[in-house]
Amino acid sequence: MSETLANLLQENRRFEPPAALADAANVKADAYEEASADRLAFWAKQAQRLDWAREWDQVLDWSNPPFAKWFVGGELNVAYNCLDRHVAAGKGDKVAIHWEGEPGDTRTLTYADLHALTCQAANALTELGVRAGDRVAIYLPMIPEAAVAMLACARIGATHSVVFGGFSADALSGRIQDASAKVVITADGGYRRGKPSGLKTIVDEAVAQCPTIEHVLVVRRTGQDVAWGERDLWWHETVETASTEHEAQPFDAEHPLFILYTSGTTAKPKGILHTTGGYLTQASYTHHAVFDLKPETDVYWCTADIGWVTGHSYIVYGPLSNGATQVMYEGTPDTPHKGRFWDIVDKYGVTILYTAPTLIRTMMKWGDEFPAAANLSSLRVLGSVGEPINPEAWMWYRKNIGHDNTPVVDTWWQTETGAIMISPLPGVTAAKPGSAMRPLPGISADVVDDEGNSVPNGGGGFLVLREPWPSMLRTIWGDDQRFVDTYWSRFQGMYFAGDGAKKDDDGDLWLLGRVDDVMLVSGHNISTTEVESALVSHPSVAEAAVVGATDPTTGQAIVAFTIPRGSVDTEGEAGEALIKELRDHVAKTLGPIAKPRQIMLVAELPKTRSGKIMRRLLRDVAEHRSLGDVTTLQDSTVMDLISDGMKSAKSDDE
Ligand code: ATP
Ligand code: MG
């Protein structure tokens, strides 16, 4: 049998958990044994973290795969679990959110404050005719009202569909139409890169195409002028004048909680549907286990936007169900200067930080002096999500942000999985830089070959999930068939994630990027991730994206787009010398088969709005094709720069 995916990169570094953290860890090694002895009993136990109005009759109904039901017959209210029960337990005065606006204005919301606002919003939405099962679109900047709007929907059983505040009117109207939303909650604008951006204008344009929308509820954030129409209502006149009393009704464990469209790296976004009991159980448990959250002492900060699943599970539902104190930041990391994030960590004494590789690599590019200027000694756990983290980016993160002694948890999951699936546990795992290590207790992931057979240690292939999990997507909104075809048809009885992965000699898992991006070079399947990681392991490189371009001799040839670190000279001959050095460096690190045919030095890479590299566009450039769909691209001018550079670069074939 031919190899499914080559295993080229070797990594021997390991980092044991600090002893004190391990001793006091929320979750210890026995959790793995407990879960493998009886997976359903394990999840039933984790569900007890929540307050249920009615106990379930059955943990899992998997009689009609792939349509799962978890905690069948159980009833609970998500907002009650995130707010009321903490207030009832005497924690009303505990800070829920330290909010930091981009211009430097701040707000502090306790659990009692958040509860009162959520009750007001629930009353206001009810007054506007929103009922359980209706859909509400949320298009807001990173302000506390975003969390309040989500919790208010959950409280009354309305299904929210949060759309990232950077998306265009077309993207917004497409998502509103797909879900037939009744109400949109937005703001006049928000602050990004030092300026107020307009949201209401975009909503006006979008809603003109959306006959199902009855009301637009507008938070005043920037105070800019906005056009006003009949269906528009100010939040401060509607929500903030409503009663702060609201009794939460329980909903069925399988009641739809939210729809969220995937970030769109590969194709047309899919409306992923999540439900209530299983979702909250796994969001809550994983937040407790993977970040080792101690609600009394930790200050947690997840830098994701509320518009992505990370914001749903690890800003709103996981942390709030656990009674965490967290930081929420409105703006960009370089406003007013490139040390803003580190100033925030310093100011609030952040102990747990959860961010994305794109940010870590950007910080590497900007230089070590920015984190060095702040006091980061409060940090004790660092997390990463969104893309494979290159081993050198992992090392940089640990060294420059984690003062060389904090665990780094590389967490693999997807919009579809709802919560973290594969990750080290900070008090248990001796983590390897760049590896997501093992499936969490209660999760069964595997790597299989073309035929669905488990690959041996040292082998690569397709990442699959063999058993249903509580926070799994229930379907694609309005399209059960697409749900079956997309995720459950490639391998019999398994969920196929779309990602490639390998098992190293110890059986630990390494994510290798999307299988659609795998390159076929002279008969070898080579992952983009391994070549990118080899490039990033060179001291002059901050970030790299690699694609396979059609090649007459090798089938596909490796073309790399590389961002040098800030201080590196790339002019003229220095640039050419660096390119040669990088090609040799990759050949030396991974073997001659992985030597790039061509390396381009670029200033930026095309990314989705969630910061993921969009390789399919680079493939278009490398093959001199016109560009495919660019609607989910963060900055479309980047592509012009790269294409121009590509045309003028002389081919450096040997
Ligand atoms: P679309 O499905 O529309 O193309 P997307 O897959 O980028 O968009 P998300 O659900 O936000 O949308 O991202 C999940 C994907 O992100 C995973 O399938 C994987 O490719 C990547 N990913 C997330 N976390 C990690 C990680 N820790 N290591 C490697 N890859 C990761
Ligand atoms: Mg995806």
Side-chain angles (χ1 to χ4, degrees):
M1 191 194 63
S2 68
E3 87 188 344
T4 304
L5 198 51
N7 173 8
L8 301 175
L9 193 73
Q10 299 300 321
E11 176 60 67
N12 300 316
R13 292 170 289 195
R14 288 194 92 131
F15 295 90
E16 295 287 340
L21 196 155
D23 285 346
N26 287 350
V27 176
K28 305 209 169 156
D30 59 353
Y32 293 102
E33 288 139 48
E34 191 191 335
S36 62
D38 187 342
R39 192 171 56 90
L40 296 184
F42 172 83
W43 283 118
K45 182 172 157 195
Q46 307 319 322
Q48 304 289 357
R49 305 177 55 75
L50 308 177
D51 280 13
W52 294 76
R54 185 184 185 280
E55 180 96 1
W56 54 89
D57 307 313
Q58 190 187 359
V59 177
L60 169 67
D61 176 357
W62 191 233
S63 58
N64 181 30
F67 300 94
K69 292 189 179 128
W70 280 87
F71 306 111
V72 184
E75 291 181 7
L76 71 168
N77 186 287
V78 168
Y80 176 89
N81 274 282
C82 291
L83 302 171
D84 304 49
R85 63 172 178 153
H86 304 315
V87 177
K91 297 185 183 151
D93 292 337
K94 185 178 195 296
V95 174
I97 298 176
H98 290 291
W99 179 77
E100 171 108 356
E102 196 189 73
D105 51 335
T106 60
R107 284 163 71 185
T108 308
L109 286 97
T110 64
Y111 273 90
D113 297 334
L114 207 55
H115 175 256
L117 256 174
T118 300
C119 288
Q120 290 183 306
N123 284 321
L125 288 173
T126 305
E127 187 68 22
L128 293 178
V130 178
R131 298 288 172 265
D134 288 345
R135 272 82 57 209
V136 172
I138 298 175
Y139 185 71
L140 282 169
M142 286 292 287
I143 54 177
E145 283 76 8
V148 170
M150 290 164 74
L151 290 163
C153 288
R155 193 171 186 91
I156 62 173
T159 303
H160 59 69
S161 166
V162 182
V163 179
F164 172 59
F167 273 132
S168 66
D170 276 350
L172 175 59
S173 68
R175 286 161 175 76
I176 291 174
Q177 288 163 2
D178 188 65
S180 310
K182 234 173 153 171
V183 170
V184 190
I185 305 177
T186 188
D188 49 358
Y191 288 96
R192 280 194 83 73
R193 302 218 151 72
K195 300 192 295 273
S197 67
L199 292 180
K200 173 69 165 57
T201 21
I202 296 171
V203 170
D204 290 343
E205 199 186 325
V207 165
Q209 315 298 324
C210 301
T212 56
I213 293 295
E214 294 170 13
H215 301 284
V216 177
L217 193 52
V218 188
V219 178
R220 189 156 65 195
R221 161 66 183 134
T222 61
Q224 65 194 280
D225 284 339
V226 290
W228 209 249
E230 255 176 27
R231 57 188 153 199
D232 298 337
L233 296 160
W234 282 113
W235 174 278
H236 59 267
E237 291 173 3
T238 315
V239 173
E240 287 171 16
T241 55
S243 162
T244 55
E245 306 277 312
H246 180 275
E247 202 176 325
Q249 301 301 315
F251 292 99
D252 189 90
E254 284 299 331
H255 187 75
L257 178 64
F258 66 85
I259 301 167
L260 181 62
Y261 293 82
T262 56
S263 66
T265 309
T266 47
K268 182 170 177 283
K270 303 168 276 284
I272 304 300
L273 179 70
H274 284 287
T275 59
T276 297
Y279 171 78
L280 195 62
T281 296
Q282 196 174 329
S284 174
Y285 172 69
T286 52
H287 183 255
H288 161 85
V290 173
F291 300 108
D292 192 42
L293 178 91
K294 308 281 196 268
E296 298 314 319
T297 47
D298 276 317
V299 178
Y300 167 86
W301 182 24
C302 168
T303 69
D305 191 278
I306 218 116
W308 313 124
V309 72
T310 306
H312 285 56
S313 303
Y314 299 106
I315 294 178
V316 180
Y317 296 116
L320 296 177
S321 66
N322 290 335
T325 292
Q326 68 179 314
V327 171
M328 183 178 188
Y329 171 57
E330 178 183 36
T332 51
D334 50 353
T335 308
H337 60 83
K338 290 176 174 153
R340 182 69 185 270
F341 267 30
W342 316 123
D343 287 354
I344 292 174
V345 169
D346 193 340
K347 174 174 173 185
Y348 295 101
V350 172
T351 58
I352 304 170
L353 178 70
Y354 193 25
T355 192
T358 181
L359 243 150
I360 298 164
R361 293 184 306 242
T362 301
M363 302 288 182
M364 285 169 72
K365 179 173 81 175
W366 287 346
D368 304 358
E369 62 272 27
F370 296 100
N375 179 358
L376 306 180
S377 62
S378 53
L379 288 167
R380 65 179 199 93
V381 177
L382 302 177
S384 169
V385 62
E387 290 179 290
I389 179 165
N390 317 107
E392 280 324 305
W394 193 105
M395 292 297 294
W396 186 92
Y397 192 28
R398 179 178 157 102
K399 177 160 178 282
N400 291 276
I401 310 304
H403 26 86
D404 241 339
N405 62 8
T406 49
V408 174
V409 289
D410 173 20
T411 64
W412 179 87
W413 59 297
Q414 309 177 295
T415 308
E416 293 87 340
T417 70
I420 298 171
M421 303 293 282
I422 307 175
S423 169
L425 288 175
V428 179
T429 316
K432 301 170 183 172
S435 172
M437 302 300 290
R438 296 280 163 128
L440 289 179
I443 299 299
S444 69
D446 198 2
V447 181
V448 300
D449 65 19
D450 275 333
E451 277 121 52
N453 305 306
S454 191
V455 304
N457 288 356
F462 303 88
L463 181 69
V464 296
L465 302 168
R466 288 189 176 277
E467 301 288 350
W469 62 101
S471 64
M472 67 196 281
L473 77 165
R474 299 305 195 257
T475 190
I476 293 176
W477 179 256
D479 201 345
D480 287 348
Q481 192 56 48
R482 190 175 178 205
F483 167 61
V484 175
D485 294 345
T486 309
Y487 304 108
W488 301 92
S489 60
R490 179 74 175 79
F491 301 106
Q492 180 65 32
M494 296 177 227
Y495 171 92
F496 171 46
D499 288 340
K502 71 178 185 189
K503 294 180 192 167
D504 68 14
D505 293 339
D506 303 318
D508 293 321
L509 298 175
W510 295 73
L511 273 298
L512 296 180
R514 295 160 198 283
V515 295
D516 299 345
D517 291 334
V518 168
M519 305 173 288
L520 186 60
V521 182
S522 305
H524 295 273
N525 283 307
I526 298 179
S527 93
T528 53
T529 302
E530 293 204 314
V531 181
E532 288 163 6
S533 289
L535 284 163
V536 175
S537 74
H538 188 281
S540 299
V541 175
E543 182 152 33
V546 157
V547 297
T550 312
D551 185 272
T553 36
T554 55
Q556 279 189 318
I558 300 175
V559 177
F561 299 81
T562 302
I563 302 182
R565 293 218 196 184
S567 53
V568 175
D569 178 14
T570 57
E571 292 302 313
E573 277 175 27
E576 276 166 39
L578 176 60
I579 287 172
K580 178 170 187 313
E581 198 180 313
L582 292 177
R583 294 180 68 219
D584 293 340
H585 175 75
V586 175
K588 206 170 115 226
T589 313
L590 301 180
I593 184 73
K595 185 170 185 173
R597 180 185 76 186
Q598 189 172 11
I599 293 182
M600 306 266 306
L601 301 179
V602 295
E604 284 300 338
L605 290 168
K607 291 184 178 170
T608 62
R609 285 156 210 267
S610 59
K612 295 173 199 254
I613 299 171
M614 262 161 106
R615 289 177 193 74
R616 65 179 170 80
L617 295 181
L618 292 173
R619 208 150 47 223
D620 291 343
V621 172
E623 296 187 335
H624 308 287
R625 268 195 309 273
S626 57
L627 292 184
D629 184 10
V630 294
T631 46
T632 55
L633 198 61
Q634 194 172 47
D635 174 3
S636 51
T637 60
V638 167
M639 288 317 297
D640 300 336
L641 289 175
I642 293 174
S643 309
D644 292 349
M646 187 84 193
K647 275 177 220 138
S648 60
K650 69 176 168 57
S651 167
D652 48 8
D653 280 276
E654 279 177 345

